[in-house]
Amino acid sequence: MPLLETPLPDRLYRGKVRDTYDLGDGLLLMVATDRISAFDVVLPTAIPDKGRVLSLMSKFWFDQTRHIVPNHFIALAEDREKLGDLAEHPLLKDLAPEIAQQAMVVKRAERIDAECVVRAYLTGSALVDYNATGTMFGVPMAAGLVDGSRLPELMFTPTTKAEVGHDEPLNAEEMADLVGADMATTLRDLSFAVFQHAHDVAAERGIIIADTKFEFGVRDGEVILIDEVLTPDSSRFWDAAGWNPGKSQPNYDKQFVRDWLLTQKDWDRTPPAPALPDDVVQKTTERYWEAYRKLTGQTA
């Protein structure tokens, strides 16, 4: 059964996808449910295995990028050996296997309230803005770009971190006002460094990372990478062999869900969203697992 809710004690936060619980001693249990959101709206239909893929893939990328920036990851909740004495914590000791397999134990940090979006290709909301204004959120762009065009350089297009509703783009001045000029520069540079490393790793495995979003926090005065990282929920993963600018690219992410929703002409992108048909659910699960297999070389 897909995991939509996690009725555990001491819940701190219920996000669009993640439920977060306080373990005490500066630690959190972060459960990736099988909920899925699109256009900033949580859909009524769950995607089986989605949360497990998100947790496994986040672990992979946290391990891959810790030489660039420290992160909050300690262990998967099912990895009792890695947890050590933490495995006997009252919340973890008897944690149901269906929850443990898609949950992470992480360090608690003070979240920086901005989403750090990095784009290497033109698509999604950036394409909508480009087609309307010829710019990418106010930054002038060359003429003639189409859906899937590679950008001449990496673009940093941060947004607000909205608790409800839509995240809003931030220009450089607004980002500096929100987090401070020095912190804005730090977040941009770290985002570029992590993205470039991941992009190079993925390219060797036949995947284009078109864009992604990162979240950062501060712990003990140090900026660390938090939340999820480089998953099919937070990134666009394209099949490099099938890349063909001018249309929606063959993908291993939730673009398949977005594309189906765009065919629902009666839906105005506000709650409630329409339920997904069974074939879209099944194919989305398959694409998430395929992304994990291709990028990590592992099956589970």
Side-chain angles (χ1 to χ4, degrees):
M1 289 289 294
L3 183 67
L4 272 170
E5 302 293 339
T6 57
L8 303 173
D10 298 320
R11 187 168 73 188
L12 282 178
Y13 178 70
R14 183 184 191 274
K16 295 184 181 80
V17 173
R18 280 167 186 74
D19 294 342
T20 303
Y21 296 86
D22 188 4
L23 295 175
D25 296 324
L27 301 177
L28 302 172
L29 177 69
M30 184 175 288
V31 185
T33 72
D34 294 326
R35 298 192 294 266
I36 189 168
S37 69
F39 306 113
D40 292 317
V41 177
V42 178
L43 307 187
T45 314
I47 305 296
D49 286 350
K50 174 177 171 287
R52 179 155 174 75
V53 173
L54 297 190
S55 295
L56 287 169
M57 190 171 287
S58 289
K59 175 190 182 301
F60 172 78
W61 286 116
F62 280 132
D63 289 343
Q64 282 276 328
T65 60
R66 64 175 66 251
H67 67 287
I68 300 171
V69 59
N71 59 64
H72 71 165
F73 180 79
I74 293 175
L76 295 172
E78 65 180 354
D79 189 348
R80 299 186 65 83
E81 181 177 349
K82 187 72 177 291
L83 286 173
D85 292 343
L86 273 175
E88 298 305 311
H89 186 285
L91 194 60
L92 300 175
K93 184 177 181 180
D94 300 315
L95 193 62
E98 60 269 21
I99 297 178
Q101 70 178 1
Q102 50 199 74
M104 304 183 296
V105 176
V106 302
K107 301 171 188 174
R108 191 168 187 170
E110 182 181 348
R111 189 184 75 183
I112 298 169
D113 287 330
E115 292 202 335
C116 295
V117 181
V118 180
R119 302 178 187 274
Y121 293 77
L122 182 65
T123 194
S125 60
L127 175 67
V128 173
D129 191 60
Y130 173 79
N131 285 339
T133 68
T135 73
M136 185 185 292
F137 309 121
V139 178
M141 303 295 292
L145 301 181
V146 296
D147 191 358
S149 289
R150 182 162 188 167
L151 300 172
E153 60 184 6
L154 294 183
M155 299 287 292
F156 184 60
T157 60
T159 71
T160 58
K161 178 70 179 171
E163 297 296 339
V164 295
H166 300 288
D167 300 329
E168 297 296 333
L170 294 166
N171 62 34
E173 183 178 345
E174 291 167 336
M175 182 68 170
D177 288 343
L178 181 65
V179 303
D182 290 346
M183 179 62 78
T185 298
T186 295
L187 296 178
R188 181 201 62 198
D189 292 349
L190 287 174
S191 296
F192 280 164
V194 173
F195 183 92
Q196 189 62 61
H197 175 73
H199 186 275
D200 293 346
V201 169
E204 294 173 354
R205 298 164 193 196
I207 298 287
I208 291 172
I209 304 180
D211 56 34
T212 197
K213 61 182 179 182
F214 300 116
E215 291 192 35
F216 293 91
V218 176
R219 181 180 169 94
D220 298 329
E222 183 177 42
V223 176
I224 66 173
L225 190 59
I226 64 169
D227 197 60
E228 66 178 343
V229 60
L230 293 155
T231 72
D233 261 21
S234 64
S235 317
R236 285 184 172 88
F237 297 137
W238 294 344
D239 179 8
W243 175 56
N244 184 15
K247 60 184 180 60
S248 183
Q249 305 301 312
N251 60 77
Y252 304 100
D253 54 57
K254 66 179 178 182
Q255 187 61 42
F256 187 67
V257 171
R258 296 188 194 99
D259 288 345
W260 182 83
L261 287 169
L262 289 171
T263 69
Q264 308 306 296
K265 301 304 183 184
D266 293 335
W267 185 51
D268 62 358
R269 302 193 189 183
T270 61
L276 299 175
D278 290 346
D279 64 318
V280 172
V281 171
Q282 179 182 344
K283 289 175 182 176
T284 302
T285 294
E286 292 170 356
R287 287 175 187 226
Y288 274 51
W289 275 120
E290 187 66 9
Y292 178 73
R293 285 191 291 268
K294 283 182 173 291
L295 287 167
T296 71
Q298 303 166 16
T299 55

